[in-house]
Amino acid sequence: MEFIRYEEKGRVGIITLSREESLNALCTPMLREIDKLLDEIDTDEIRCLIITGAGKKAFAAGADIEEMSDMSPVESRKYSLYGNSLMRKIETYPIPVIAAVNGYCLGGACEMSLSCDFRICSDNAVFGQPEAGLGITPGWGGTQRMARAVGIAMAKQIMYTARNFKADEALRIGLVNSVHPQEELMDYALKLAEKISSNAPIAVRACKEASTRGISMDLDQACKIESDLFSSCIGTYDQRNAMKAFMNKEKYTDFQNR
Ligand code: COA
């Protein structure tokens, strides 16, 4: 892989966007590498993913502007559809994906972080959807997911003004869950991912599926999906053993993913 790195720490997989000379700008070959990697990760073994950026300056400074600058409308539509399909793949990936945002997180990078389950960031993080200042709209789901994350009025303000904003504001509007000194960000991300990985994988996946699918549905339909997923957990080896342990005043920690 030329534009990303991948490592596994126990049951946690870490994808690092790795194109530091361009502030990890998301070029198509990088997207294709991520796409292929997501197909290859063994999600029975790995229980949580983290996406972060190489270096101390950027998660990523957005989609590659040079690549987009001369595109035709037909090419740009294909480009947007492909980006959108990858963002959706991240959003619906069977295991949780955490964005550990360690600096600039603009445009397409902000959209990628929005397709993750949630975001945590370093104190030097800078977010924004600068597209309107470049003559385009967000093209990888930002017009939809930003509103779901921070509410439509704030999302519109962010997009129309195209202004960058810092970690403290991102925390205040609910775009990130927490802010950390940069040198502590990855330790915290790993701790969080390990905590997630220590719970019943079938249940965690079901929580993800119910939340991700349900948010775009009406509440009645969404609660039916929850009931389906809830009942799909009942009778699993992990459910039976975790509840048996509770009733014996013990804690079951060795979840088997079955
Ligand atoms: N696409 C392609 N290349 C990019 C890029 C992007 N989105 N963002 C940064 N780069 C490149 C720069 O062209 C520069 O390359 P060079 O050294 O060959 O000239 C290198 O990364 C470093 O960026 P630079 O602008 O010199 O760093 P800076 O610290 O002065 O500014 C930013 C950092 C993030 C404020 C600035 O790079 C920026 O505004 N980038 C574009 C952000 C954006 O609009 N993204 C949305 C795209 S849809």
Side-chain angles (χ1 to χ4, degrees), residues 19-23 25-26 57 61-66 68 104 106-108 130-131 134 136 164:
R19 197 188 166 207
E20 257 190 86
E21 68 289 355
S22 303
L23 300 183
L26 306 166
K57 208 170 156 186
D64 191 317
I65 296 173
E66 196 181 336
M68 285 184 286
Y104 287 112
L106 303 172
E131 288 88 349
L134 292 164
I136 54 173
N164 292 349

Side-chain angles (χ1 to χ4, degrees), residues 192-205:
L192 210 50
E194 278 158 9
K195 177 70 184 149
I196 290 168
S197 305
S198 74
N199 285 318
I202 292 169
V204 171
R205 283 170 183 241

Side-chain angles (χ1 to χ4, degrees), residues 234-248:
I234 296 287
T236 59
Y237 180 89
D238 284 337
Q239 177 265 324
R240 290 287 192 249
N241 283 288
M243 291 195 182
K244 204 183 292 166
F246 175 82
M247 288 182 298
N248 291 333

